[in-house]
Amino acid sequence: MLDKKLTLNALKNKKGKEKIAAITAYDALMANIFDGEVDVILVGDSLKMSFGGQNSTLGASVDEMIYHARAVSSATQKSFLIADMPFGSYDTRKNALKNALRFYKKCEIDALKVEVGVDKLEIVRALCAEGIALMAHIGLKPQFMRFDGGFKVKGRAENEARELIECAKKMEQAGVFGLLIEGVVADVASQITQSVSVPTIGIGAGVGCDGQILVWSDAFGFFDKFQPKFVRRYFNGKEALQSALRSYVSDVKNEKFPSQNESY
Ligand code: KIV
């Protein structure tokens, strides 16, 4: 549990000393519950799938992400807060800078995250040079799921593993403060973590990363469309909430709610 705001330097200093725990949040209600309990809160574009009911993250817009980032930041005082730049918002250097600056000016976030490969190095460099604290999301990149033909685990083939390690090193040289490694073979994610001096946060990337992140609605059992292998469920949210909802409905039907104390 955090007793004060986790700064960028404090987050980076955790590497090799203490594992980083991260979770997503999309609104002030959840941020209020998670703030200070986790090191990092991510306003992930996964919100398009869990909160928005879509089959991919591709439809998220900058305006939507800013709306959610503002809601989350209003209830986040201690955890380090990162927001996702959505698909298409950093396709060129010019767009990336314009949109990143919009995020920075409109939301009280600590950093931004982009899904990138070495082909985006120039854009990553330009964002960092402009003073944006940037996390590079590598490996399985959900924003590329149509291009990849689905959500495909990375690093199984030797050349792919080598490319991922090289990509991570180049991202560090370009100035990112950390890496999110998604859907990468555990051994390769460990090698990446050992090859860079910035922290790595993994999802579906094994225990060797410097930290772990889960999508909150997966971890707490509110999203049940499908459950990826890497998700561990810590709570049966849907069942718990439905049971409470049924109690409410029953009380209404049986005139047990409201009581005299709950009336004027
Ligand atoms: O959008 C998101 O929630 C993510 C996850 C991989 C953590 O980027």
Side-chain angles (χ1 to χ4, degrees):
M1 195 159 162
L2 301 171
D3 56 6
K4 59 180 192 314
K5 173 74 189 170
L6 186 69
T7 61
L8 179 61
N9 281 341
L11 176 66
K12 283 162 62 177
N13 280 338
K14 288 189 186 288
K15 188 173 176 94
K17 299 188 191 106
E18 181 197 333
K19 292 280 183 178
I20 297 164
I23 194 94
T24 65
Y26 312 133
D27 57 50
L29 281 173
M30 288 301 141
N32 185 46
I33 296 171
F34 302 154
D35 184 39
E37 302 285 341
V38 285
D39 300 306
V40 174
I41 294 178
L42 169 72
V43 187
D45 59 1
S46 55
L47 65 85
K48 206 66 195 168
M49 294 176 76
S50 73
F51 185 88
Q54 305 301 300
N55 288 326
S56 78
T57 61
L58 297 181
S61 70
V62 173
D63 284 340
E64 284 171 334
M65 292 306 297
I66 287 178
Y67 170 84
H68 287 279
R70 284 173 69 110
V72 172
S73 75
S74 74
T76 304
Q77 270 81 48
K78 291 180 179 164
S79 300
F80 190 81
L81 181 57
I82 308 175
D84 263 346
M85 289 189 72
F87 179 66
S89 67
Y90 49 99
D91 55 338
T92 62
R93 191 173 178 277
K94 193 171 161 210
N95 278 344
L97 286 170
K98 186 184 80 189
N99 288 319
L101 294 178
R102 263 190 80 206
F103 265 102
Y104 253 39
K105 285 175 195 282
K106 294 216 168 212
C107 330
E108 293 287 319
I109 48 170
D110 297 306
L112 285 167
K113 173 165 83 60
V114 285
E115 296 182 14
V116 284
V118 283
D119 55 316
K120 289 271 197 276
L121 262 180
E122 278 315 306
I123 289 172
V124 168
R125 227 176 257 129
L127 287 170
C128 296
E130 209 56 46
I132 305 292
L134 197 68
M135 171 168 262
H137 180 148
I138 63 169
L140 188 163
K141 295 174 285 182
Q143 292 178 9
F144 287 71
M145 60 87 77
R146 285 192 197 151
F147 183 83
D148 279 354
F151 298 104
K152 300 268 167 63
V153 174
K154 304 286 178 184
R156 291 200 207 273
E158 221 174 278
N159 64 327
E160 201 174 56
R162 215 177 314 114
E163 277 167 23
L164 276 170
I165 296 168
E166 277 316 300
C167 173
K169 288 184 188 165
K170 285 185 175 148
M171 289 299 156
E172 179 179 13
Q173 283 160 13
V176 304
F177 73 85
L179 296 161
L180 190 142
I181 307 177
E182 176 165 3
V184 169
V185 173
D187 181 46
V188 177
S190 288
Q191 286 182 55
I192 294 173
T193 301
Q194 284 155 26
S195 310
V196 294
S197 64
V198 293
T200 63
I201 298 182
I203 178 162
V207 76
C209 296
D210 295 311
Q212 299 292 329
I213 186 164
L214 282 175
V215 169
W216 84 266
S217 43
D218 291 340
F220 304 131
F222 286 92
F223 183 80
D224 62 358
K225 254 188 176 173
F226 57 89
Q227 188 179 340
K229 172 185 161 89
F230 59 79
V231 169
R232 185 179 295 177
R233 255 202 197 151
Y234 288 88
F235 185 55
N236 283 325
K238 184 175 170 181
E239 271 172 37
L241 194 53
Q242 270 180 340
S243 152
L245 182 70
R246 284 184 195 127
S247 299
Y248 163 67
V249 172
S250 159
D251 285 353
V252 170
K253 303 274 182 200
N254 295 301
E255 295 184 23
K256 287 189 179 155
F257 175 82
S259 67
Q260 249 181 1
N261 280 347
E262 289 154 335
S263 306
Y264 295 103

